Amino acid sequence: MNTVLYIIVIGFIIYWVGSWLYFWYKGRQMKGSLDQETFETTMRKAQIVDLREKNAFDSKHILGARNLPYTQLKYNEGELRPDLPVYLYGDSKNICVRAALKLQKKWGFEDVKWLEDRFSDWEGKTKKTTKI
C-alpha cells in the first residue's frame, strides 16, 4: 500500500514540475512579458484582463482592468476584441502564459502580453470595487 502511495505522489510531483517547466519555457519563447513600467505606460491602448478570481479582483485591481478569471476564460473569451492588444496579469506568471497561449492558439489573438511580476508587486494605480 505504501509503495502505491509513493508512486502516486512521485508521479504527481513529476507532472507538476514538468507542467511548470513547460509553461516557463513557453513564456520565455513567446516573449510577451512586460515589466511594470512598460505595462503601465502602454496599457491605455490595450484590454487589461485580471485573471484572478472575482473576490480577489473586488478587493483590489489595476485601474481599468476587467475580471475574466482564468478558470472561466474559455466561457468569456468573446468579451475580448481580437483586433486590440490584450494585457494579462494575475497571481502567477504561469497562469498568464497559459491564458496567453489559449488566446493566441485557440482564438486567434495576435498581440497578447502579460505582467512580468505578480499583481501583489504592482505599484501603479489600483481600484477597489465597493459593495453596496
Side-chain angles (χ1 to χ4, degrees):
M1 184 65 170
N2 284 339
T3 306
V4 172
L5 183 61
Y6 289 133
I7 290 172
I8 291 171
V9 169
I10 290 170
F12 177 75
I13 291 170
I14 290 170
Y15 172 77
W16 183 80
V17 170
S19 175
W20 183 88
L21 285 172
Y22 172 77
F23 288 106
W24 174 82
Y25 174 73
K26 287 303 246 182
R28 293 185 54 89
Q29 193 177 38
M30 288 174 59
K31 300 188 187 316
S33 182
L34 298 175
D35 60 38
Q36 279 194 40
E37 184 179 341
T38 306
F39 191 98
E40 190 170 16
T41 57
T42 60
M43 71 184 196
R44 285 178 186 80
K45 301 175 183 175
Q47 303 169 90
I48 307 162
V49 177
D50 186 325
L51 296 169
R52 301 172 304 144
E53 294 299 321
K54 184 171 176 20
N55 59 350
F57 176 81
D58 288 344
S59 67
K60 187 178 181 182
H61 59 271
I62 293 176
L63 189 63
R66 71 176 74 185
N67 185 225
L68 295 175
Y70 177 76
T71 57
Q72 300 296 313
L73 191 61
K74 66 182 176 183
Y75 305 112
N76 298 319
E77 54 75 32
E79 294 182 24
L80 299 173
R81 289 181 48 186
D83 59 321
L84 294 175
V86 178
Y87 282 19
L88 306 170
Y89 73 90
D91 290 329
S92 161
K93 180 179 174 181
N94 192 344
I95 294 296
C96 292
V97 172
R98 287 178 183 212
L101 284 169
K102 278 186 182 182
L103 289 170
Q104 288 179 333
K105 289 188 177 184
K106 289 188 178 182
W107 299 305
F109 287 78
E110 292 183 19
D111 191 4
V112 182
K113 308 282 188 213
W114 59 88
L115 183 62
E116 183 175 75
D117 300 324
R118 297 181 317 197
F119 174 69
S120 59
D121 300 326
W122 179 255
E123 296 173 357
K125 293 182 180 181
T126 59
K127 181 180 179 180
K128 294 181 181 181
T129 303
T130 56
K131 294 184 180 179
I132 299 174

